[in-house]
Amino acid sequence: MESSFSLYSLVVMLLVVVAFVIAPLGAEARAFFVFGDSLVDNGNNDFLVTTARADSPPYGIDFPTHRPTGRFSNGLNIPDLISEHMGMESPLPYLSPLLRGKKLLHGANFASAGIGILNDTGVQFLNIIRIWKQLEYFQQYQKRLESIIGSDDASQLVSTGMVLISLGGNDFVNNYYLLPFSARSRQYSLPDYVRYVISEYRNVLSRMYDVGARRVLVMGTGPMGCVPAELAQRSRAGECSTELQRASDLFNPQLNEMLKSLNDEKGGHIFVAANTMKMHMDYISNPQAYGFVTSKVACCGQGPYNGLGLCTPMSNLCPNRDIYAFWDAFHPSERANRIIVQQMIGGTLNYMTPMNLTTILAMDIKP
């Protein structure tokens, strides 16, 4: 047993080394597709009539152009940083008029701030691209791709592409807990609601598989009760909201079980669970260990913990975004995003199940 384990460990280590050395070169032609909410939206909502927007300063203050891009960040977001690691351009928003011709070969970002797994999540934001519409756009994208490179090559590009999806947080923050007695909280107890949301998410991911996705990184919910917005509304002395943390604690393990079940059903390691709860809690629990001065106060905002309302040109703004874990009331700073992505790239099974991005890239290298 010991010798077989050692041999397996050696093979994995060699794969990891190879991936770090050549993955950025081998991944240049690999498409990247992004689905989900504001954690991964890079500008689709700029093309919509919606209140869920990040198109005014100081958003983008640390982006290379120093201008707002529609990202809910002071700079780069998670898809940007994954693209950076893979040595490729970050995919453009699907609604961008710049996404045409050869740009389509890089993939597309379909994400839209405010959405959830459920269609009634985020109704207060008016016009947003709900997840089933994002999947429709994914099929539309494939038709556009076929017109450029043909159906066989288009299918190959999609099936070998990397997919990232971030969903779930808004189904609690902007649905179940949005009002003291929301429609969903009157309809379901929290455990029943979580089971319902997970069952709907399974339908979404099954459909994603049906339309061609074969490598899908699935982000769990972060520590919803610890974001500055919830501290401002629910915390007396800076402690995380017990009820929202309970929601995270119920949702994430059931998400992992559902992904395992889907992998068993489809055959293979198609869906990879990213434990973003743990990734966040590492620096929220001990911000100084990660170079942050605070994990409670947002860099940009107003009110307690800078957690009330939107980040606007009139908001309080910290001079050094690198020492704040949160950029605004809900979203991590670019530096916190880098910590999260580092764990996606090389994290152990506590962070990435059944494998991290480095192992995926190593396994997918063609001989």
Side-chain angles (χ1 to χ4, degrees):
M1 287 292 291
E2 288 183 5
S3 61
S4 63
F5 175 79
S6 299
L7 179 60
Y8 173 79
S9 300
L10 179 61
V11 170
V12 171
M13 287 175 63
L14 288 172
L15 285 173
V16 168
V17 170
V18 169
F20 272 121
V21 172
I22 68 173
L25 296 177
E28 284 180 1
R30 187 169 199 163
F32 187 24
F33 306 103
V34 182
F35 300 84
D37 53 29
S38 59
L39 289 170
V40 294
D41 182 1
N42 68 346
N44 278 307
N45 279 20
D46 284 2
F47 301 95
L48 303 172
V49 179
T50 178
T51 57
R53 304 173 72 91
D55 59 344
S56 62
Y59 284 99
I61 189 172
D62 298 310
F63 195 76
T65 61
H66 305 293
R67 294 179 179 177
T69 62
R71 292 164 173 82
F72 287 75
S73 172
N74 57 300
L76 302 177
N77 65 8
I78 289 170
D80 295 323
L81 298 170
I82 292 175
S83 297
E84 185 179 89
H85 173 71
M86 293 198 300
M88 56 182 285
E89 292 181 25
S90 191
L92 290 169
Y94 185 68
L95 298 184
S96 170
L98 299 177
L99 184 66
R100 60 181 187 271
K102 291 185 177 180
K103 292 289 185 183
L104 290 166
L105 301 179
H106 297 295
N109 187 315
F110 303 92
S112 177
I115 75 149
I117 295 162
L118 305 182
N119 278 335
D120 58 308
T121 292
V123 293
Q124 68 273 29
F125 300 124
L126 304 177
N127 188 23
I128 50 182
I129 313 171
R130 306 193 184 284
I131 188 57
W132 289 101
K133 187 65 176 181
Q134 291 183 27
L135 291 174
E136 285 182 31
Y137 281 153
F138 187 35
Q139 292 175 274
Q140 188 182 96
Y141 160 87
Q142 293 181 48
K143 293 295 185 185
R144 294 172 61 188
L145 193 63
E146 287 176 9
S147 69
I148 299 172
I149 61 175
S151 59
D152 289 346
D153 286 346
S155 295
Q156 173 79 359
L157 185 143
V158 169
S159 65
T160 59
M162 187 72 68
V163 178
L164 175 71
I165 184 167
S166 168
L167 284 177
N170 283 327
D171 293 289
F172 297 95
V173 172
N174 284 310
N175 191 330
Y176 194 84
Y177 291 111
L178 181 63
L179 300 171
F181 300 99
S182 68
R184 287 299 190 183
S185 66
R186 294 196 306 271
Q187 182 183 11
Y188 293 103
S189 68
L190 179 60
D192 288 342
Y193 181 70
V194 170
R195 282 190 288 272
Y196 170 58
V197 171
I198 290 290
S199 69
E200 292 298 304
Y201 203 178
R202 185 187 180 101
N203 293 336
V204 168
L205 294 175
S206 292
R207 180 59 181 161
M208 182 174 283
Y209 176 88
D210 290 343
V211 295
R214 291 296 181 270
R215 283 292 190 199
V216 186
L217 305 180
V218 183
M219 295 169 57
T221 67
M224 296 180 285
C226 302
V227 300
E230 299 306 328
L231 298 185
Q233 298 175 62
R234 302 171 185 270
S235 178
R236 292 184 178 181
E239 73 281 2
C240 299
S241 164
T242 302
E243 187 64 13
L244 275 159
Q245 288 299 91
R246 179 172 170 244
S248 295
D249 290 340
L250 286 171
F251 180 87
N252 287 312
Q254 291 185 46
L255 174 63
N256 288 353
E257 286 301 311
M258 181 265 281
L259 296 178
K260 183 178 183 300
S261 172
L262 265 181
N263 281 332
D264 290 343
E265 176 186 305
K266 306 301 181 186
H269 299 313
I270 295 156
F271 300 99
V272 175
N275 186 351
T276 41
M277 176 73 166
K278 180 168 176 52
M279 295 173 191
H280 282 282
M281 286 308 297
D282 283 349
Y283 62 75
I284 286 175
S285 301
N286 190 1
Q288 286 74 30
Y290 291 83
F292 297 121
V293 297
T294 178
S295 60
K296 299 182 185 299
V297 181
C299 170
C300 183
Q302 47 278 316
Y305 307 101
N306 275 344
L308 295 180
L310 300 173
C311 172
T312 73
M314 302 302 293
S315 297
N316 302 318
L317 179 65
C318 68
N320 183 357
R321 276 70 64 184
D322 282 347
I323 57 176
Y324 280 71
F326 283 95
W327 158 245
D328 64 12
F330 289 101
H331 303 97
S333 63
E334 179 185 315
R335 186 157 175 274
N337 280 332
R338 286 188 179 276
I339 293 169
I340 292 166
V341 171
Q342 283 170 4
Q343 292 293 3
M344 289 184 176
I345 292 168
T348 62
L349 288 174
N350 289 332
Y351 296 93
M352 298 291 291
T353 308
M355 68 189 86
N356 58 35
L357 182 57
T358 295
T359 303
I360 292 171
L361 293 174
M363 288 176 59
D364 290 351
I365 292 171
K366 299 296 185 290

